[in-house]
Amino acid sequence: MTPDRAFNSCTIAWTSSQTRQKHPGLHTMHPWRKHLSGRVKRDWIIPPIRVLENSKQIPEDLVQIKSDKIFTGEVIYKLEGPGVDQEPKNFFEIDDQTGVIRSKQPLDREKHRSFTLKAFALSPSGERLENPTTIEIMVLDQNDNRPAFTKKLFEGSVPEFSIPGTSVMSVVATDADDPMTDNGILSYSILAQESVPANAVTKTMFGINNETGAIYTRDVGLDREVVKSFKLKLQVADMGGMGLTSEGVAVIHISDINNHAPQFSPVKYNMLAVENRQDFEVGRVNVTDRDDRGTGNWEVKYSIYNDPHRSFSIRTDPATNQGILTVVKALDFEAQHEHTLILTVENLNPLSNKAPDLPVSSATVMVTVVNENEAPHFKEDPIQIIVPESVAPGTLLKTNLAYDPDNSELRYEISRDPEQWLDIDGVTGDISVKRTFNMRSPHVKNSMYTAAVKVTDAGGVSTTATLAITLKETNDFAPELHPKSSTVCKDARKKHSGLVLTATDQDLAPHTAPFIFEMLEDMSHNWTIIQINGTHALLQPLVDLETGEYAVTVLVSDSGSPVLSSIAQVNVTVCPCDSYGDCKSEAGAIFGSTVGINFIALLIIMACIAFLLLLLLLAVAITSCGRRHHIKKGAGLLVGDSEDDIRDNVLNYDEQGGGEEDENAFNIDMLWNPHDTPPRLPLRKDAPHNLPSPTYPRRPPADPTDIEDYINDGLEAADNDPNVPPYDTALIYDFEGEGSLAGSLSSIASGSSDGDQDYDYLNDWGPRFQKLANLYDSC
């Protein structure tokens, strides 16, 4: 409710004379009285109203306020603020007629130290007669609260052997009373001291500052090995130690300093270690330390002396502080039977200057090495061998491979050899070549062949090592010329073009390129070879050649050591070319040419041949009709009486396009040895020489139906003849027509002139002789 609304409900007015009669002993204040000083109006300063807490007189009149307006009319007083109509409410009230302010309930300074209120003077109609004035109510403290420690138990520590006056810890207490009064001034004290273990120390070891609560040492003799801690009974009191009191507890631990060095117990040890083992525990050593267990003052570290090969190491077991001795490098019984080690020990933390001056503790450890059957040892693994790929079988590659530490007898064997190229002596271990190496083997990677050898001692203990055989490339293969046949334009000499030749070699570098291409001397004056680079050359004509087939012999050599060469025949077709350099078709290149021939020209040539053959058959038919009566009945048309061998008549020409002046004809015997006289045919390598040849059929059959059997008999005899050249070798014939049964065309019907001749057998010779048979039948 606002003051204005409150004043509207008030209708009672009172005078100052009435107020003095009802409250004769109450202090009256005139907060609205103005004091004139010159021309400035100032309000009176109202001092705070002091009220004692926990008062028993409730309600209690505190003060009376009064307005000067009461002389001019009726005044109504109102009060508002915390403690009246704001939280906390209902602590104060004002008599609206007399202006008396009184407390309604006891006050507690620890909850509310003061109250600030606003007082109003209003007219009965609610109009403000004066400006609001501020009233401050201060609650006075009483010693109604005991001091209390902030913790139930205070803990601290102090190093052993601390000097008197060393600060240990501080304790703290609080008091809810006013600290500005004696009610809140505290004083600390120690009531009792108890040692752990009990009665270990009886003299007073600690003191306390009664004002700050700081605890400190008072005397010497704090030894952690004697006493572990102290329990102090504390007291705090207000009123400077004369008022209310409370008690507390403080526990002080005696902390350890490193005043004890670790000591070996015992100082001599004997241990066993098996040879050829590493990273295994040999034994443990023990130490004692009186310092606090589990701290750096107790934990130790070990050192090893007299171990020149660093075969041992020692580490600390964190749980027991024992030293664990370990072999880190395999021991050799044959080299050394015993090892004498000197061990020392010290704390992780440095010793205190209060520790006794003692030497560093040491211990002696005698390690005896136990012998065992050791595996043989290869002198190298992998075993490196470098050898030419063409090394001959039986060649010794490696010897003295392994040894046995126990000096027992060894046995060797090849445990892995995928190509079966190696052999080994089971007693000496000498490795030799069993079969020739092959660089093209799938088991050769990057010129290295990998195998394995195994060695076993008398006790059955074995070891395996790798054989790494590096194969050095040798010149085993001659280069091969490519291509063997192609075309060249007629105008190649003028255009400085020709056939590009290259070569391939199955060897590896450096036995391959660069290749050298050459023409054999006295083999041809019509061609030349121009070297383009290390792998290609240009075959070019020296003269203008006619269209046709030419055989050119080329020598190609590699760069190996030694140099290998091969001779190859290149079949070159010379042809006219179009503007694109492609061959044009001509009749001269029909047979054996690699260049395509014009289809129309081919038809013309075939038609000419057919026409000539027809004329020949007509001439034979006319002649046969005139002499039909002279041919004996049943005799064959083409069968004579000669029993001489019939052979193919093949003429060998050595002209290569140079005209009549070119006398250097191609002779295949020059591929083998140009200096032999007379030229020799190549012999078969798969059959013995100079053996009698089988009998060839000497007389052709009279009946044409037996021609097939006649041919098959001749083929079988040739296949079984050991003296004939291979099937792919050029044949040289020196018989060119002597003894031919054909004779001349005029002898076809000269056998007889009388009697009838039966020409029905011509029907069995195929469609080409069908027309001839018809002609004779019509004669």
Side-chain angles (χ1 to χ4, degrees):
M1 180 181 296
T2 61
D4 295 338
R5 293 180 181 178
F7 288 160
N8 290 336
S9 61
C10 295
T11 57
I12 301 176
W14 53 278
T15 62
S16 59
S17 59
Q18 292 174 331
T19 302
R20 284 192 298 271
Q21 291 177 359
K22 299 179 78 173
H23 305 280
L26 187 62
H27 177 68
T28 302
M29 301 178 62
H30 298 270
W32 292 286
R33 181 170 294 178
K34 302 297 187 294
H35 176 73
L36 296 178
S37 176
R39 301 180 62 181
V40 180
K41 292 184 178 182
R42 295 181 301 170
D43 293 340
W44 288 98
I45 299 176
I46 301 176
I49 301 172
R50 301 182 182 275
V51 182
L52 188 65
E53 68 172 337
N54 303 319
S55 175
K56 305 297 183 180
Q57 300 177 2
I58 298 301
E60 179 183 5
D61 293 340
L62 303 179
V63 70
Q64 181 182 22
I65 60 175
K66 187 175 182 181
S67 174
D68 293 337
K69 297 296 183 179
I70 60 175
F71 300 104
T72 58
E74 187 177 1
V75 178
I76 299 175
Y77 298 96
K78 294 295 179 182
L79 191 66
E80 65 179 27
V84 181
D85 58 348
Q86 299 177 21
E87 294 295 337
K89 296 181 179 181
N90 299 323
F91 276 94
F92 305 98
E93 64 180 0
I94 189 171
D95 190 315
D96 57 357
Q97 293 184 359
T98 62
V100 175
I101 299 175
R102 61 178 63 89
S103 61
K104 298 176 63 177
Q105 53 182 312
L107 302 178
D108 186 354
R109 195 205 66 84
E110 285 70 41
K111 295 182 179 180
H112 310 288
R113 297 183 179 184
S114 64
F115 297 89
T116 301
L117 307 177
K118 292 288 186 180
F120 299 89
L122 305 176
S123 65
S125 62
E127 180 183 359
R128 288 185 181 182
L129 301 179
E130 306 284 355
N131 291 330
T133 186
T134 301
I135 298 177
E136 188 79 18
I137 299 177
M138 302 295 296
V139 181
L140 300 178
D141 183 52
Q142 285 186 336
N143 192 16
D144 57 346
N145 293 282
R146 289 181 178 274
F149 285 102
T150 57
K151 295 181 180 180
K152 293 182 179 181
L153 177 66
F154 293 90
E155 288 190 275
S157 64
V158 62
E160 60 179 335
F161 301 107
S162 294
I163 62 174
T166 302
S167 178
V168 180
M169 58 185 298
S170 293
V171 295
V172 179
T174 59
D175 194 321
D177 293 323
D178 190 355
M180 304 305 296
T181 66
D182 289 343
N183 299 334
I185 297 177
L186 307 180
S187 177
Y188 301 91
S189 60
I190 298 176
L191 299 180
Q193 170 187 296
E194 181 181 351
S195 65
V196 179
N199 301 320
V201 176
T202 57
K203 59 183 178 180
T204 302
M205 298 299 299
F206 300 96
I208 190 170
N209 187 309
N210 60 348
E211 293 183 357
T212 62
I215 300 176
Y216 56 90
T217 59
R218 291 184 56 181
D219 207 338
V220 296
L222 293 176
D223 188 351
R224 195 198 63 82
E225 283 72 40
V226 176
V227 60
K228 304 299 181 183
S229 62
F230 289 89
K231 182 179 181 181
L232 305 180
K233 184 178 181 181
L234 308 177
Q235 177 181 278
V236 60
D238 58 14
M239 301 294 290
M242 303 301 294
L244 303 175
T245 63
S246 295
E247 294 182 356
V249 177
V251 175
I252 301 175
H253 301 282
I254 308 304
S255 61
D256 181 57
I257 64 172
N258 193 12
N259 61 324
H260 296 286
Q263 301 293 320
F264 279 102
S265 178
V267 295
K268 290 186 178 181
Y269 298 86
N270 292 304
M271 301 179 183
L272 299 177
V274 181
E275 68 169 337
N276 302 320
R277 298 183 184 179
Q278 62 184 22
D279 298 327
F280 75 98
E281 180 180 329
V282 178
R284 297 192 175 206
V285 295
N286 299 313
V287 294
T288 60
D289 194 317
R290 296 177 59 191
D291 290 316
D292 193 10
R293 186 182 184 90
T295 65
N297 299 331
W298 173 82
E299 295 173 347
V300 297
K301 57 183 178 180
Y302 298 87
S303 301
I304 301 178
Y305 296 92
N306 196 29
D307 182 21
H309 301 293
R310 299 184 181 275
S311 301
F312 300 88
S313 70
I314 190 168
R315 69 180 190 276
T316 304
D317 187 334
T320 63
N321 236 11
Q322 291 179 317
I324 305 174
L325 187 63
T326 305
V327 175
V328 295
K329 185 183 294 183
L331 305 177
D332 188 356
F333 174 83
E334 288 73 23
Q336 187 174 353
H337 297 330
E338 292 181 341
H339 297 264
T340 301
L341 306 178
I342 304 299
L343 307 182
T344 60
V345 64
E346 58 183 340
N347 289 123
L348 293 180
N349 293 341
L351 282 174
S352 171
N353 55 5
K354 297 179 181 180
D357 188 10
L358 298 175
V360 176
S361 181
S362 63
T364 302
V365 180
M366 182 69 68
V367 180
T368 302
V369 182
V370 179
N371 188 27
E372 70 171 1
N373 185 19
E374 302 178 58
H377 294 284
F378 282 96
K379 295 183 178 180
E380 60 174 327
D381 187 10
I383 301 171
Q384 301 287 345
I385 299 175
I386 301 176
V387 63
E389 65 167 328
S390 59
V391 63
T395 303
L396 181 63
L397 299 181
K398 199 76 172 181
T399 186
N400 195 17
L401 301 179
Y403 67 93
D404 186 71
D406 300 317
N407 298 320
S408 65
E409 184 179 352
L410 301 179
R411 296 292 300 176
Y412 296 88
E413 62 177 306
I414 299 292
S415 60
R416 183 167 60 85
D417 183 12
E419 291 287 355
Q420 301 297 314
W421 287 343
L422 305 174
D423 198 3
I424 190 169
D425 189 303
V427 178
T428 64
D430 294 345
I431 299 177
S432 58
V433 179
K434 183 178 180 181
R435 296 194 303 115
T436 304
F437 296 114
N438 181 10
M439 289 283 288
R440 262 55 62 183
S441 170
H443 296 96
V444 177
K445 306 294 184 182
N446 298 323
S447 300
M448 181 173 289
Y449 177 69
T450 304
V453 60
K454 179 180 179 182
V455 60
T456 307
D457 63 11
V461 181
S462 62
T463 305
T464 302
T466 300
L467 283 172
I469 303 176
T470 301
L471 299 179
K472 297 172 59 178
E473 177 75 16
T474 58
N475 199 11
D476 301 319
F477 298 93
E480 295 183 5
L481 188 70
H482 300 286
K484 296 295 180 60
S485 63
S486 187
T487 60
V488 172
C489 295
K490 288 184 62 176
D491 55 355
R493 184 179 66 86
K494 297 179 181 179
K495 293 185 177 181
H496 302 287
S497 62
L499 174 60
V500 177
L501 301 178
T502 186
T504 58
D505 198 323
Q506 298 185 43
D507 293 312
L508 300 178
H511 304 292
T512 56
F515 300 112
I516 303 299
F517 300 88
E518 300 175 281
M519 297 288 296
L520 293 181
E521 295 181 2
D522 301 330
M523 292 298 293
S524 177
H525 297 289
N526 300 327
W527 301 84
T528 186
I529 288 185
I530 302 173
Q531 193 85 22
I532 299 177
N533 52 35
T535 57
H536 293 79
L538 182 66
L539 179 63
Q540 191 178 66
L542 292 173
V543 297
D544 293 333
L545 302 178
E546 297 297 329
T547 301
E549 293 274 349
Y550 297 87
V552 183
T553 304
V554 178
L555 174 69
V556 58
S557 305
D558 60 21
S559 298
S561 179
V563 176
L564 293 183
S565 304
S566 66
I567 300 174
Q569 175 181 307
V570 182
N571 296 321
V572 183
T573 300
V574 177
C575 62
C577 297
D578 56 19
S579 59
Y580 297 100
D582 297 329
C583 275
K584 299 178 181 179
S585 59
E586 286 191 3
I590 294 177
F591 304 102
S593 176
T594 59
V595 181
I597 189 170
N598 187 281
F599 181 70
I600 298 177
L602 180 61
L603 292 180
I604 295 174
I605 294 172
M606 292 181 66
C608 293
I609 293 174
F611 180 73
L612 293 176
L613 181 59
L614 181 59
L615 291 178
L616 175 61
L617 293 177
L618 289 177
V620 171
I622 295 171
T623 304
S624 298
C625 288
R627 298 183 179 182
R628 182 175 182 181
H629 61 281
H630 296 290
I631 299 177
K632 187 183 289 186
K633 183 73 173 179
L637 177 63
L638 301 178
V639 178
D641 296 331
S642 177
E643 295 181 358
D644 293 341
D645 186 19
I646 299 175
R647 300 188 180 184
D648 293 336
N649 301 323
V650 180
L651 300 181
N652 180 39
Y653 299 94
D654 58 359
E655 183 177 350
Q656 297 188 11
E660 295 179 356
E661 295 79 12
D662 187 4
E663 298 176 358
N664 297 323
F666 171 72
N667 192 327
I668 194 169
D669 270 2
M670 296 186 69
L671 294 177
W672 305 100
N673 191 338
H675 303 291
D676 289 344
T677 305
R680 294 178 291 109
L681 291 174
L683 300 178
R684 294 176 59 175
K685 296 181 179 181
D686 57 346
H689 311 315
N690 302 323
L691 294 180
S693 299
T695 302
Y696 286 84
R698 308 301 297 175
R699 182 180 181 86
D703 190 352
T705 59
D706 296 332
I707 291 178
E708 181 178 359
D709 296 333
Y710 171 78
I711 295 175
N712 290 334
D713 294 338
L715 289 176
E716 182 177 2
D719 290 339
N720 295 324
D721 190 350
N723 296 320
V724 300
Y727 72 92
D728 56 352
T729 303
L731 301 179
I732 307 300
Y733 294 89
D734 57 1
F735 183 77
E736 297 187 2
E738 182 181 352
S740 175
L741 297 179
S744 64
L745 292 176
S746 61
S747 63
I748 294 178
S750 61
S752 65
S753 58
D754 299 324
D756 295 332
Q757 174 70 31
D758 186 5
Y759 297 101
D760 293 338
Y761 62 87
L762 292 178
N763 295 322
D764 299 331
W765 285 19
R768 292 189 176 184
F769 295 90
Q770 185 69 40
K771 183 175 292 187
L772 186 60
N774 295 334
L775 290 175
Y776 276 94
D777 289 339
S778 61
C779 292

